[in-house]
């Protein structure tokens, strides 16, 4: 199974993620509302606020999925954090990067993925706001714009949380 490579700045990216002290924290309504809104805008059954640490993908918020984390080597979001643009897979069974991923072959049988990087003000991609569907599909330009806007709001919440911790 192909696995997303680690970003060139991985050591600094992980330090930036740790700076936010958000991993393994309790659910927060503000994040949950953004995840739910992303699912509604994109008409998708699943939306996640996903953060990628050294070994796993952990979900700060999840809508429509019971899992709280997955191993990093199964994380579609591992590809999302490699760039500064949305990462979209319209049919996971036809994409060599993920077609043999256990999350495609077995439950939950992912077929569509769209993720927008959660980029800190210092330029590090901490994870993604993503949507998942169980049928191949596309997003229209308004849905993609909405997903990008909500990803920006997730980062603003993370920044506000960081600021509040310092007070």
């Amino acid at each position: 199974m192909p696995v997303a490579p680690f970003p060139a700045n991985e050591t600094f990216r992980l330090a930036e993620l740790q700076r936010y002290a958000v991993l393994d924290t309790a659910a927060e309504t503000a994040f949950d509302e953004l995840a739910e809104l992303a699912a509604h805008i994109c008409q998708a059954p699943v939306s996640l606020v996903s953060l990628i640490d050294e070994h796993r993908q952990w979900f700060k918020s999840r809508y429509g999925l019971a899992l709280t984390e997955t191993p990093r080597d199964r994380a579609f979001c591992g590809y999302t954090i490699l760039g500064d643009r949305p990462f979209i897979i319209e049919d996971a069974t036809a994409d060599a990067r993920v077609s043999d991923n256990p999350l495609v072959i077995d439950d939950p049988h992912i077929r569509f993925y769209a993720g927008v990087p959660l980029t800190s003000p210092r330029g590090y991609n901490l994870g993604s706001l993503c949507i998942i569907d169980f049928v191949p599909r596309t997003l229209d330009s308004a849905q993609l714009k909405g997903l990008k806007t909500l990803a920006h709001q997730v980062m603003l919440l993370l920044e506000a949380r960081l600021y509040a911790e310092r007070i």
Side-chain angles (χ1 to χ4, degrees):
M1 172 178 84
V3 177
F6 284 20
N9 64 358
E10 181 68 358
T11 301
F12 298 108
R13 190 194 71 77
L14 289 171
E16 180 82 342
L17 177 61
Q18 292 302 318
R19 196 170 76 77
Y20 283 86
V22 68
L23 293 174
D24 299 311
T25 58
E28 295 177 52
T29 302
F31 290 98
D32 293 344
E33 289 173 345
L34 292 175
E36 185 174 354
L37 188 54
H40 288 299
I41 287 171
C42 296
Q43 299 174 326
V46 174
S47 179
L48 305 165
V49 174
S50 172
L51 300 168
I52 305 288
D53 74 10
E54 188 175 0
H55 303 288
R56 66 184 170 147
Q57 164 180 246
W58 177 76
F59 307 131
K60 175 59 181 163
S61 181
R62 60 193 193 284
Y63 175 85
L65 189 69
L67 295 172
T68 58
E69 63 182 59
T70 66
R72 183 172 177 165
D73 64 0
R74 295 183 182 182
F76 286 44
C77 295
Y79 289 101
T80 305
I81 65 170
L82 295 175
D84 60 356
R85 296 180 179 192
F87 177 73
I88 299 173
I89 295 178
E90 294 180 352
D91 182 355
T93 63
D95 190 302
R97 294 169 292 190
V98 297
S99 62
D100 63 349
N101 186 307
L103 299 174
V104 174
I105 296 169
D106 299 319
D107 269 344
H109 299 285
I110 295 171
R111 294 297 177 265
F112 174 83
Y113 170 90
V116 176
L118 298 175
T119 307
S120 75
R122 289 150 296 285
Y124 297 101
N125 292 339
L126 308 178
S128 74
L129 172 63
C130 69
I131 58 153
I132 294 170
D133 208 334
F134 308 115
V135 295
R137 57 176 288 202
T138 60
L139 291 180
D140 65 33
S141 60
Q143 290 171 320
L144 187 55
K145 183 177 185 336
L147 197 58
K148 290 177 184 178
T149 299
L150 291 174
H152 179 73
Q153 293 303 309
V154 168
M155 267 322 302
L156 290 176
L157 279 176
L158 286 170
E159 283 291 307
R161 217 178 156 282
L162 182 63
Y163 178 75
E165 296 278 322
R166 291 182 176 169
I167 296 177

